[in-house]
Amino acid sequence: MATTPFFTPEHPLPIAVLVGAGPGDIGLFTLAGARALALAAVVIYDALANPDLLAFCSPEAELIYVGKRDRRHTLTQTEINALLVEKCREFMARPDCPSRCVVRLKGGDPFVFGRGGEEAQALTQAQIPFAVIPGITAGIAGPAYAGIPVTHRDFTSTVTFITGHQQEDSSDKPSSGESGDEISNVDYPALAKLGGTLVFYMGVKNLPHITQRLMDCGLPADTPAAVVRMATHPEQQTVVGTVKTIAQLAQKAEIKAPAITIIGKVVSVREQMNWFESRPLFGQTMLVTRTRQQASKLGDQLLELGARVIEAPTIEIAKPTDRQAALTAIEDMGEYDCVVFTSANGVHSAHQAMIALELDARDFAAVVAAIGPATADALNSIGIIPDIVSPDAVSEELAVELISYFGRADPTKEPDSATLDLSGNRFLLLRAEIARPSLVEMLRNAGAAVDDVPIYQTRIPESLPEDAIEALQNGTVKWITFTSASTAKNLFTMLPENLRSTVGKCKRLSIGPTTSRALAELGWPATLEARHHDIPGMVAALVEEILRSTTAHAS
Ligand code: SAH
């Protein structure tokens, strides 16, 4: 009989790590889990584990999906155990073995109804050392996100986790999802007698049976009950009733797996505590049209406010037409008096080119200038604090700053920015392929030598992501955000005719007048325009509008 967890001098570290993925919201994933994913050479994951977590993996990690995609391709638990052992054995023979691991990523907590116990046993039998990283289980997170405390001194001091699935212990059916079969193994008389808080996993299909058995065994029919579907996701849905009514109410609301059922007096507290579903943008699906890099900033804020966010990149950053000229300019940066960046994209493109050329911060020019705070932030993120930053992202403002920084006054005249002389100063502008000429003109007029070098270009992506098309097609998108005239024009170009009219039916949030004008020209007038023409301004306008309309409805 093998002993666990089977560490040896040869393998003093775990080979396999069973990692709890948490209930869905990636913010509920543990730091230890993120670290294990970053180290993983192989990741075997389920349907319930949020696929966004895979972003923590290194690019060369082997990712193996073993969840339910369609019936034919579902692995049985025995096959999953075998695959896990096989992958660990393969990995143990690899040269990177001691420093990395094989991660088995499972929804919620690996040892709560996830059959992680069986997987750990298979590892023990195969003499493979392992570790377990717990996750937040759906039976804790679901009630919390529905505003239901699982224990409360006024109501109960016990909470019981129960499977609503039949033969959980012995079946070799696929490991995730629900079963509609009869339930066995659960001591209903004991549960009804204990009462307290009862939390059922995998019980949606069996709900009529579960609730009937509890009442037959003496649980009062008016005991409060709730079902929470897709807990912690922006799509979370909760139905509340009593043990007598909940099965029918859930059926009427078409609740499907994954869902958690909570039965007990604590459910009554939800009325005062339903925080997650009360967030300002909860229930609103938003399409965010920006570049990939920029989208997440707005998307993250909307998500935080409760929205379901779908990103629809309408602008793509690509290498410049003359790549060689860009690389040469970057290689020669140190020879200029000043390098000027006029966008965060320019900073990121330059940084990538520097990495390719094996250059670092020491190869920058003596003086670095940035247009506005966003470009300065991008420079900070690569370890450069710009010497000159214009207050706003306006070329003319930056030109004035540069001229007064470098300008030498004509000694025969009074100092005045119009007479400052930049002759002898060499500037390198690293910019987009199409950029306004005013900055170059103002610097040259002041006598400077200016090399204006495109280091990236913007393009229209070939197509929208599938989830964006699908959400537009099925009419779930409520709002579309537009952060520039080009996001509007590009979206129009990218959409097929029938979906253009769908955009007309959604609400459209514009960052400011220029974008609103472009929208109006496309036949999509803005529903709402931000008063402050930036991302916080857009978010503020949206929250104000939605909260105003919900209070208007409520009163
Ligand atoms: N190990 C998991 C449970 C796996 S069993 C955990 O600890 O959470 C699968 C069941 O978990 C589902 O049928 C459902 O009852 C529940 N579940 C998992 N994620 C859920 C979610 N986001 N919302 C509601 N229920 C969830």
Side-chain angles (χ1 to χ4, degrees):
M1 184 66 197
T3 51
T4 49
F6 218 88
F7 294 103
T8 60
E10 212 186 346
H11 293 297
L13 290 167
I15 296 296
V17 188
L18 303 183
V19 178
D25 177 350
I26 65 164
L28 298 175
F29 190 50
T30 63
L31 293 176
R35 187 165 171 272
L37 282 184
L39 288 178
V42 182
V43 180
I44 303 173
Y45 66 104
D46 280 344
L48 278 178
N50 187 337
D52 290 349
L53 292 175
L54 300 176
F56 287 111
C57 300
S58 72
E60 78 278 14
E62 183 188 0
L63 307 177
I64 306 172
Y65 178 79
V66 292
K68 252 204 308 203
R69 194 156 278 151
D70 69 62
R71 279 269 161 209
R72 279 167 304 147
H73 295 119
T74 310
L75 296 188
T76 64
Q77 189 59 49
T78 311
E79 287 164 341
I80 293 174
N81 297 353
L83 176 72
L84 179 59
V85 168
E86 179 197 319
K87 283 291 158 190
C88 288
R89 290 227 169 98
E90 254 175 53
F91 170 68
M92 283 161 97
R94 281 171 51 160
D96 57 350
C97 171
S99 57
R100 302 184 70 186
C101 60
V102 173
V103 164
R104 172 71 176 109
L105 184 66
K106 300 174 70 69
D109 181 90
F111 281 177
V112 180
F113 303 129
R115 305 188 74 166
E118 291 160 59
E119 295 176 17
Q121 279 174 318
L123 290 167
T124 305
Q125 262 159 26
Q127 308 194 345
I128 294 166
F130 66 88
V132 182
I133 298 175
I136 299 184
T137 186
I140 296 287
Y145 273 55
I148 300 168
V150 284
T151 71
H152 189 296
R153 269 166 47 128
D154 294 346
F155 304 109
T156 176
S157 47
T158 66
V159 48
T160 312
F161 293 146
I162 310 133
T163 168
H165 190 294
Q166 186 216 10
Q167 295 171 324
E168 178 63 18
D169 303 326
S170 56
S171 82
D172 194 22
K173 286 192 180 152
S175 61
S176 57
E178 306 271 344
S179 155
D181 304 338
E182 281 277 296
I183 312 163
S184 59
N185 300 340
V186 175
D187 186 345
Y188 279 88
L191 287 179
K193 183 157 177 275
L194 177 66
T197 304
L198 306 177
V199 179
F200 284 89
Y201 290 69
M202 298 174 281
V204 172
K205 282 196 184 145
N206 274 326
L207 208 50
H209 181 86
I210 293 168
T211 49
Q212 191 56 51
R213 286 294 309 271
L214 287 170
M215 287 186 292
D216 291 347
C217 296
L219 192 77
D222 62 355
T223 308
V227 177
V228 190
R229 175 172 193 267
M230 289 293 279
T232 79
H233 290 268
E235 299 88 346
Q236 177 174 310
Q237 190 185 356
T238 306
V239 176
V240 183
T242 62
V243 73
K244 185 157 196 271
T245 60
I246 193 71
Q248 216 188 348
L249 291 172
Q251 200 178 20
K252 219 170 120 193
E254 296 181 23
I255 298 278
K256 292 189 183 70
I260 279 287
T261 303
I262 306 121
I263 297 175
K265 290 194 183 124
V266 286
V267 171
S268 62
V269 178
R270 170 175 155 89
E271 268 179 39
Q272 308 153 39
M273 287 196 192
N274 179 15
W275 63 276
F276 184 73
E277 294 162 29
S278 314
R279 290 171 311 153
L281 305 186
F282 185 78
Q284 312 267 343
T285 298
M286 318 224 139
L287 200 69
V288 175
T289 63
R290 297 193 75 179
T291 62
R292 233 299 144 247
Q293 293 93 317
Q294 293 166 320
S296 3
K297 221 163 144 197
L298 176 59
D300 286 351
Q301 292 189 31
L302 298 175
L303 207 63
E304 197 98 328
L305 286 156
R308 175 176 170 230
V309 174
I310 299 174
E311 288 183 5
T314 50
I315 298 171
E316 202 169 72
I317 308 297
K319 303 223 156 76
T321 317
D322 190 348
R323 177 116 210 271
Q324 196 45 52
L327 290 175
T328 309
I330 286 171
E331 220 162 8
D332 295 344
M333 267 188 315
E335 291 165 21
Y336 290 85
D337 296 300
C338 179
V339 176
V340 182
F341 290 95
T342 57
S343 69
N345 288 326
V347 174
H348 297 311
S349 305
H351 189 222
Q352 273 165 12
M354 287 177 74
I355 292 170
L357 291 165
E358 296 184 2
L359 301 178
D360 67 22
R362 290 165 299 180
D363 299 295
F364 261 99
V367 177
V368 177
I371 193 165
T375 306
D377 282 350
L379 280 164
N380 290 340
S381 76
I382 62 162
I384 303 289
I385 300 171
D387 306 86
I388 303 161
V389 183
S390 60
D392 295 302
V394 176
S395 305
E396 289 77 5
E397 271 182 25
L398 180 61
V400 170
E401 297 275 337
L402 287 167
I403 291 168
S404 68
Y405 187 97
F406 283 97
R408 290 172 300 272
D410 181 338
T412 60
K413 291 185 187 150
E414 286 282 295
D416 166 5
S417 92
T419 62
L420 290 177
D421 175 21
L422 258 55
S423 55
N425 287 121
R426 292 187 63 209
F427 289 82
L428 173 63
L429 269 51
L430 295 176
R431 307 211 283 165
E433 205 143 288
I434 302 167
R436 286 176 57 214
S438 57
L439 180 57
V440 181
E441 279 166 12
M442 287 174 76
L443 292 173
R444 283 194 182 136
N445 289 344
V450 182
D451 286 338
D452 185 14
V453 181
I455 53 163
Y456 70 97
Q457 59 174 316
T458 54
R459 289 199 300 227
I460 305 185
E462 249 165 52
S463 61
L464 287 173
E466 254 173 55
D467 56 345
I469 301 260
E470 208 180 290
L472 281 171
Q473 260 162 357
N474 64 26
T476 42
V477 178
K478 280 230 175 94
W479 286 88
I480 307 181
T481 64
F482 295 94
T483 41
S484 67
S486 46
T487 59
K489 289 178 202 153
N490 294 4
L491 183 69
F492 190 87
T493 311
M494 289 170 78
L495 282 179
E497 191 71 40
N498 63 326
L499 289 184
R500 285 182 188 158
S501 60
T502 312
V503 172
K505 288 180 202 133
C506 301
K507 295 185 177 178
R508 292 162 303 275
L509 170 62
S510 154
I511 196 167
T514 317
T515 304
S516 300
R517 245 188 324 276
L519 280 167
E521 277 164 22
L522 297 167
W524 295 337
T527 319
L528 184 66
E529 185 182 289
R531 236 171 304 144
H532 295 283
H533 310 316
D534 52 19
I535 285 173
M538 290 176 82
V539 174
L542 193 62
V543 169
E544 196 181 305
E545 168 76 15
I546 287 174
L547 287 184
R548 190 174 338 134
S549 67
T550 41
T551 8
H553 278 175
S555 56

